[in-house]
Every structure is written in C-alpha cells, then in structure tokens.
Amino acid sequence: MSNIDAGNQVSEHDLSLIEEEERAEKRRRWLLLLLLLLLALLACVLLLFIRYLRQPEPLPEMIPLPVDVNYPPHYLFSIYGVDKPVGVAYSLRNDRIYVAETGGKRLVKIFDRDGNPLGSFAPPRTMPGERSPVYLAVDGAGRVFVTDRLQHAIFVYDENGTFLDTILGPDLTLSEYVLKHVNNLRPDATFAYNQFEHVVYYKSPGEPERTLPTPEPAMWAPLGIRFDRTGRLLFTDVRQERNAVYLISADAFSPSSWRNFDPPVISFGSTGQGDGQFLFPNSAVADSQGRIYVTDGNNGRISVWDEKGQFLFHFGGGSGEGALSLPRGAAIDERDRLYVVDAVGQNVKVYDVSGPEPDFLFAFGDWGMGDGQFNYPNDIALDRYGRLYIADRENNRIQVWSY
Amino acid sequence: MNRSHRRSLTISFLALLITALFLGSGASVARADNGPHGDYTATTDACAGCHRAHTAGAPRLLLDDVPNLCYTCHGSGGNGADTNVVDGIYLERDLDTEDPAEGIAGRGLKGGGFVNALMDTDWDGAATSAPTTSSHLVDGSTGTAWGNGDIGSGPGAAIPLSCTSCHDPHGRASTTGGPTYRLLRAIPVNSGATTGVDVEDEVDKVYTVSDTAQKSGNQYFGEDYGTQGDQLSEWCSQCHTRYLAPGGSGSTDSGDPIFAYRHLTQGSPSCSLCHDVHGGTLPTGGPMFSHDVTCVTCHVAHGTSASMGGYAENVEWPDGATDPSGNNRSSLLRVDNRGTCQLCHGK
C-alpha cells in the first residue's frame, strides 16, 4: 500500500515536474511568438512610417480598409477662394482639382488635393460676361475640357491651363477651321474665337495678328461633360430642339486628329418628359458594365441607357426615400456607387447600381452654411484615395469629404 | 404642438391646397415655355425642382434665398433654363430660322441683366458685355420704391425686393388665376396695391430684343411692346405709384411736392402734340420708334450697363440725395446719358 502510495507519490511528483517544465516551455514559445508578432508589428509600423515620410497622408488612405458600400463618408475640410463654383473635376494624372466658377471673373481654378491654389485660366479674348465655364472633365493626358454655356463650345487646355483648342461642334475644332482657311499655318500659331465678336483671330509668332470670318455656328449647346473609364467622352446637349447625350470614342482625342476632327458619334435622347426624353440633362456617367446614367435635371430623375444608346429605365423621380429634386453633377466610383448632387435637395444622394436595379443607399449633407452643409451644390468629383469634392455654389467653396 | 410643427402643418396644408388648385383648374392651353412654372399636371414632379422632395418641413425659402434658387436654373451656367438673367443673354442655340426658338441665340434678354448686360447702350452698332451699372436689387434688401404711395406721401415707401416680388414662380398669377406675361404677379408683393394689373401673356414668347430698327441686334431702344407696354406702365406703377403720368403731365402740376411735373409714361400722346396734321410740320428730329411712351420705352426691368456722364450722372434722387452718382445713376435706362430722350426728341 505504502509502496504503492510512495510510488504514486513519486510519480505524482515527477508528473508535476514534467508539467511545470511543459508549462515553462509553453510560456517560452508564447513569449517567442509574442516577440515575433511584436517585431512584425514594429516592421509594419516602420514601413508605414517610411511610406508616410515619403508621401504624408492620413492613415485610412494608406491602408485601404474594406468598406461596406452602405457606409456614408464624413466631412473633412473646405477649399475656399472660389466664386459660385458649379463644376469640379479631378485629374488622375497629377492629383489636381479643377473648379469652374460662375461668379466673379469666371475662371477655372486649379488646386492640389489639400486645397492649395496652383493657378487659374479662362478662354482667350473673352470678358467675364461672355464666358461661363460650367462642367469640366480631365482626360488621361491631363488635358482639361471645359464646357461653356455662353460660348456654346468645349474649350481644351493643358494641365496648367494653357489654351490648346476649342471644340466648336461635334465635328469641328477651331484649329481645323483655321487650317481650312490658311495654308501652311505654323504649328506654333495661336488662335482664338469669341462667339460675341464676329471674327476668328490667328497669329504666327513674329507676324501680326490676322482675322477670319466666323465659322457657321454649330447647332449644339454642350453642358455636362465626363470621360468614362475607357477614355470615351460623354457630354450632354441642352439645345431646345433636341436635348441629348453624345458619346465620342476615345481615339478621337489623340493629338493627330485635332485638325481633322470628325469622330464617330453616338447620340441618344430627345426633349420632353416621356421615357427616353430629357429636360436639361446635366451629366452623363458610365458604370463598370457600360451602362450610362444621365441626370435629367428639370425632370428630376436619372435615366439609364445601355452602352449602345438604348433607353432602359429611369429612377429617382416621385417622392419618398432617394427621390431627387434637381439632379445635377454625378460620378460613379469603382464599387459602382452612383453619386448624384441634388441642387435643390441640398445634398448628395448615393445609389448602388451594381445590380440590375439601382438601390438607394444614403444621402449626405443638408442645407446650411456650416461644415458639411450645402447651399445649392452642383457637382461632384472623386479621387483615387476615397475623397469626394463637391462644388458648394452659394457657399463659395469646394467641400472635401472622405471615407 | 410647438410652433415649427404648426408651421409645417400649415404649409403642408397650403401645399395641398395649392396643388389641388393647380390640378383642379382644369385643362389649360399648353404654353410654349413656362419651364417648370405652372401647367402642373396630375403626375407632375414639377414642385420638386424648387421644393425639396423629401423634407416634410417648410419650403425654406427666405426672401434673400430666392435669387439663389432662381439662379440655379437662370444663372450664367444656364443649367436649367435658357434665359440667363445674370448676364442678360439668351442661351438657346436653335438657329433654325423657319421655326425660331423663343428668341435669338446669344442675343440680349429684354429685361437686361442683373450682373452683366449685353447692350449697345452707346448706339454705335456694336454690343459688348459690360457689368451692370444699375439694377433692381433682388437680394432681399430693402430700398426706396420711388414714388410708392399717394400724392404727398414723400419719396416712397421702403420695401424689400426679390425675384418673387414681381414674378410668381407658380405661374397663373393674374387677378383671375390665369397666365400673365413673364409670370408677373397681378399685385407685386409689398406694393400696397389692391386692385392688381394683369399684363397679358404673349402667344409666342420672344425673350430677346427684336431685330426691328437695330444695327447690331442689341440696341434696346425702340422695342415695340404693343399691348403689354401700357399694361407694364400700370404694372410698374403699382410699386412706383406716382410715376404713372398721362399725356400733358409735363405741364400740369400733379400736386406732389416731389413728383410735380412728370414725363408722359402712359400710352400714346394725342397725334397733334407732335404732328401738326393740318400745317404739315413733322416731329422734331429723331426716329420715333413707337408712338407709345411707357416705362419700358426708357427703362429695362432687371438691369442695364448704360453709362452716365456730365449732367446725367449727377441728377438728384427724388429724396434729394445725390449719392450714388456716376454710372450708378443709370437708373435702368436703355441708352447712355440722355440718349433715351434724344432718340425721340432728336434735339
């Protein structure tokens, strides 16, 4: 008995020794693991720190967190120093923001992402009361396309605002027009045209300025303008006779074609309130499937078309959640969320359009003059870091929101 | 129930009532272009364009916010209308002469502009866009409505002014609920008038100054307003009461210490004043564009870019003040200095 007891005692003692050793071993392993983990974390932090030093940015933009599509953004800050802005665009090429003003001198102003002013520009030879930049779009090369409601034209500038050319109609550019009339024009010749003066100006370096009669005015009134992901240009035409959307293929904008501008154009829509009709369409954007969403301003709705220009359906009219008052500028993000600025609704309404039917997700903003409040907002642009830029017209600022 | 609740209830009720009225007023002639103003049908979403769709509360339209709403469509961006009242320019681009749109593309609007105007005010044959020198101030601030009130009541009552003082954005603004010229309210807000003046609507709307007797297309003088001219004189005079003057007022004391001798502003004078029909003398000098002399013969309704020099820039205001002087004294006139007078009197 006692032997057995003793034996038991011994084995119990041994057991507890072994157990203790095992526990110690475990603890060591844990500690080692912890140490490794801590080291890894330190490495991460160091890496992030180094990245931060090279490109200072807030944390959420450095680590793209997976975001639920139904997660509204928050207000970050505002860019001031703009007079009644109605259009805003973002350049992927150089992370710049371009803003079109309808007040004051009516310039297009350039800012960096943090709102530092970088310059401004306007169509050559125009007075403020003769020009009205409204919407803008930036192409892959960084060129800025600006629709002008008073000039009935699309002005094209380089990324710094140097005037390049004017699109005077769906098949006519100013350079093309001048070339048609002037033989061996030097490539560095400059030209200008103001609809309210009745001449076209051109000048070769070292020579006096000369003039030409004005071109036949085109029957169009371009307003909303956007490039889609594939580089096609989408613009809206608000001519009374025929409100429509135009689609111009990407290759039309290669430098060589400027002086022989006659791109294939798809256009769709007409004036009115029925299906497939528009009243003052303010912008047209395409989703990842190629479907086109048109903000049908005075009809208070979004109309949806397939990539060939066949009318599909419209939504956002009527009343209730997600109903629009006066839809204007729009944008689509890479998750196929459609952002629509509602000028009279005084907010931005967001729809998930990835499925067959659009889903209203949420709206952000409300009327007012404080941070995150709007006073007749008109346009929106998205950057690649999850920021949103909204032209807040009567508050004379661009609001920057972020996820 | 608190105040704001009561208010939103009242307003919802009003909204219902107004909608019912609009819808109930029966089949109306579809007018060429009232835009979102009026002609509401049962399925209309048209209220939403100006009133927030989802908020049940008040329409939230303070007087000084009104122009911001109107400029959202009628501003220089022309995002929702072709009549850009900021620059006084018509934006439409239909050049089809067989079926012209409601005016000529790029031409000046009849009312002039609130910020810039495209007018040939010096009558030299070329119009250039220039900042306005005077306009009705529509920012909701209070100004003296010169001549407002009865004979002997001083320079005029001070009233706040906005777009909706003169226009009813819902249309059907006549004394009998019918359409009016440019949605003009039969009784302008705060005018103190009680009877109301209906300015007849145009059958075919033309928003731009006309071609007749013009060298450049933007000479504002000589516009023939027809019936609307006389009606507009009476209409303006609901606010500027004592400016309404029949023929002969230039030599008859009205009895008012300030507005004693007044230029004819109402209708046509008798022929014999100018034409000596029997003796065969012709009127002195300049081209008499229209026989009517009304407020809109000499003034535009919104704003002008005319400039004033010499005598014209220092004319005392009716209350005796001389400021502002210079071009600010352009008093909505259609032509520089006293060119307005020359064009009829040719002195």
Side-chain angles (χ1 to χ4, degrees):
Chain A
M1 263 305 258
S2 71
N3 262 351
I4 295 167
D5 276 1
N8 272 351
Q9 267 171 11
V10 167
S11 66
E12 259 172 28
H13 176 73
D14 282 355
L15 263 178
S16 68
L17 262 181
I18 293 167
E19 261 173 27
E20 204 158 286
E21 224 157 83
E22 267 178 7
R23 241 179 276 137
E25 175 70 25
K26 243 186 213 160
R27 216 178 300 135
R28 263 198 303 279
R29 253 185 250 146
W30 274 113
L31 277 174
L32 196 69
L33 211 71
L34 203 70
L35 191 69
L36 281 175
L37 260 170
L38 279 174
L39 275 174
L41 211 68
L42 189 68
C44 277
V45 169
L46 268 174
L47 273 173
L48 275 175
F49 185 64
I50 291 167
R51 230 204 100 181
Y52 176 81
L53 284 181
R54 301 178 61 204
Q55 200 179 346
E57 259 161 28
L59 202 62
E61 286 173 19
M62 287 202 276
I63 332 169
L65 298 166
V67 188
D68 176 10
V69 290
N70 203 348
Y71 175 82
H74 57 273
Y75 172 80
L76 267 190
F77 66 97
S78 284
I79 303 175
Y80 288 91
V82 285
D83 202 332
K84 310 225 181 300
V86 292
V88 57
Y90 166 78
S91 173
L92 271 170
R93 199 181 140 85
N94 49 24
D95 286 340
R96 287 177 175 182
I97 320 298
Y98 295 88
V99 180
E101 299 178 314
T102 51
K105 288 200 181 130
R106 299 188 189 170
L107 304 171
V108 174
K109 290 195 169 148
I110 318 173
F111 296 91
D112 68 14
R113 282 183 73 236
D114 300 318
N116 300 309
L118 300 176
S120 63
F121 52 94
R125 296 193 93 112
T126 54
M127 302 278 291
E130 296 168 334
R131 61 180 180 239
S132 180
V134 188
Y135 289 109
L136 344 87
V138 185
D139 74 2
R143 286 182 303 200
V144 189
F145 291 61
V146 187
T147 55
D148 195 300
R149 189 77 161 92
L150 277 163
Q151 292 288 334
H152 292 98
I154 301 173
F155 290 92
V156 188
Y157 306 86
D158 74 7
E159 58 184 351
N160 299 319
T162 307
F163 169 76
L164 297 175
D165 211 338
T166 311
I167 306 178
L168 295 171
D171 58 2
L172 185 68
T173 66
L174 185 59
S175 58
E176 183 182 15
Y177 176 78
V178 175
L179 261 173
K180 251 179 219 156
H181 289 80
V182 185
N183 292 328
N184 36 26
L185 187 72
R186 289 175 46 173
D188 53 356
T190 55
F191 29 82
Y193 167 55
N194 170 358
Q195 197 214 263
F196 296 98
E197 291 176 1
H198 300 279
V199 288
V200 169
Y201 302 92
Y202 68 94
K203 183 179 186 309
S204 292
E207 282 178 36
E209 187 173 65
R210 291 174 211 277
T211 60
L212 283 174
T214 47
E216 223 16 52
M219 299 260 278
W220 77 336
L223 186 65
I225 187 164
R226 293 282 191 263
F227 283 99
D228 73 1
R229 302 163 208 229
T230 63
R232 289 184 308 179
L233 182 73
L234 286 148
F235 70 88
T236 67
D237 186 349
V238 295
R239 187 163 67 88
Q240 223 172 69
E241 185 86 340
R242 183 168 172 236
N243 281 198
V245 171
Y246 284 72
L247 247 166
I248 299 186
S249 62
D251 47 7
F253 300 103
S254 62
S256 61
S257 57
W258 285 99
R259 295 187 172 194
N260 192 6
F261 192 74
D262 197 6
V265 173
I266 301 179
S267 79
F268 52 83
S270 61
T271 309
Q273 291 172 286
D275 285 355
Q277 295 189 314
F278 306 120
L279 286 180
F280 289 94
N282 266 247
S283 63
V285 290
D287 69 8
S288 62
Q289 303 165 53
R291 282 188 303 206
I292 296 159
Y293 300 80
V294 185
T295 56
D296 187 4
N298 291 11
N299 280 329
R301 64 190 183 189
I302 309 293
S303 88
V304 189
W305 303 70
D306 72 12
E307 56 199 325
K308 294 192 196 77
Q310 290 297 314
F311 174 72
L312 299 175
F313 57 89
H314 45 72
F315 69 94
S319 54
E321 249 207 349
L324 292 154
S325 275
L326 194 59
R328 290 281 166 89
I332 284 193
D333 70 10
E334 70 287 353
R335 291 191 179 82
D336 272 348
R337 279 180 298 193
L338 172 68
Y339 299 78
V340 180
V341 180
D342 189 339
V344 163
Q346 311 282 0
N347 59 15
V348 178
K349 297 195 167 80
V350 187
Y351 306 82
D352 178 1
V353 294
S354 57
E357 298 231 327
D359 266 336
F360 173 66
L361 295 175
F362 52 81
F364 62 90
D366 199 347
W367 181 81
M369 284 148 205
D371 285 354
Q373 295 182 316
F374 298 115
N375 198 354
Y376 295 97
N378 205 71
D379 197 13
I380 183 166
L382 311 176
D383 73 8
R384 55 175 144 197
Y385 307 102
R387 277 192 186 177
L388 303 86
Y389 303 85
I390 299 123
D392 185 8
R393 194 186 87 216
E394 291 299 329
N395 283 329
N396 295 314
R397 64 186 177 192
I398 301 297
Q399 285 193 30
V400 186
W401 289 58
S402 173
Y403 277 108
Chain B
M1 200 157 68
N2 64 26
R3 250 182 87 220
S4 81
H5 250 98
R6 243 199 325 269
R7 208 178 65 184
S8 42
L9 256 181
T10 326
I11 287 183
S12 318
F13 176 72
L14 261 175
L16 266 176
L17 198 74
I18 290 195
T19 320
L21 274 176
F22 284 141
L23 304 181
S25 52
S28 65
V29 190
R31 295 223 154 244
D33 212 341
N34 267 324
H37 310 286
D39 268 331
Y40 301 114
T41 58
T43 53
T44 192
D45 282 344
C47 315
C50 294
H51 296 291
R52 305 180 63 179
H54 198 52
T55 28
R60 193 203 62 75
L61 280 162
L62 307 171
L63 211 50
D64 55 354
D65 282 330
V66 165
N68 294 348
L69 168 65
C70 309
Y71 290 158
T72 302
C73 289
H74 292 281
S76 75
N79 296 65
D82 288 315
T83 45
N84 164 358
V85 299
V86 169
D87 303 311
I89 294 176
Y90 190 57
L91 299 171
E92 182 37 32
R93 190 50 152 205
D94 265 320
L95 305 161
D96 190 343
T97 43
E98 302 243 311
D99 181 20
E102 294 142 358
I104 296 166
R107 184 66 75 78
L109 289 177
K110 284 182 182 164
F114 286 105
V115 177
N116 300 299
L118 185 68
M119 302 169 74
D120 178 10
T121 58
D122 59 2
W123 209 253
D124 72 348
T128 39
S129 173
T132 50
T133 46
S134 66
S135 69
H136 269 121
L137 306 172
V138 287
D139 58 2
S141 63
T142 301
T144 309
W146 305 113
N148 185 266
D150 295 335
I151 297 282
S153 61
I159 60 169
L161 199 65
S162 186
C163 312
T164 48
S165 307
C166 297
H167 299 284
D168 185 340
H170 307 107
R172 299 230 175 84
S174 84
T175 45
T176 55
T180 54
Y181 184 67
R182 307 298 186 245
L183 318 170
L184 294 177
R185 288 180 190 272
I187 303 180
V189 178
N190 290 322
S191 61
T194 46
T195 334
V197 174
D198 293 340
V199 187
E200 215 173 280
D201 200 5
E202 262 177 327
V203 182
D204 292 315
K205 293 184 192 299
V206 181
Y207 295 117
T208 54
V209 285
S210 55
D211 269 327
T212 30
Q214 306 213 346
K215 287 183 282 179
S216 68
N218 281 304
Q219 285 167 341
Y220 273 63
F221 195 82
E223 210 43 48
D224 184 0
Y225 277 88
T227 340
Q228 279 90 0
D230 290 331
Q231 291 168 344
L232 278 168
S233 263
E234 283 183 40
W235 181 83
C236 301
S237 304
Q238 294 187 92
C239 278
H240 300 290
T241 327
R242 282 162 281 163
Y243 281 77
L244 191 66
S249 299
S251 45
T252 319
D253 188 341
S254 68
D256 190 282
I258 299 173
F259 306 96
Y261 299 98
R262 300 164 300 169
H263 196 279
L264 162 78
T265 58
Q266 196 180 23
S268 19
S270 73
C271 318
S272 58
L273 264 170
C274 301
H275 307 268
D276 182 350
V277 274
H278 300 295
T281 358
L282 288 168
T284 35
M288 179 75 158
F289 292 91
S290 152
H291 285 77
D292 264 10
V293 191
T294 71
C295 311
V296 288
T297 305
C298 302
H299 298 287
V300 288
H302 289 166
T304 182
S305 57
S307 52
M308 299 290 134
Y311 158 78
E313 71 173 70
N314 293 310
V315 180
E316 263 187 16
W317 291 91
D319 63 0
T322 45
D323 285 347
S325 57
N327 286 343
N328 289 331
R329 190 53 167 122
S330 65
S331 309
L332 310 183
L333 288 168
R334 290 174 178 250
V335 187
D336 285 351
N337 300 319
R338 287 296 175 266
T340 314
C341 319
Q342 301 283 99
L343 285 163
C344 274
H345 290 289
K347 293 243 160 75

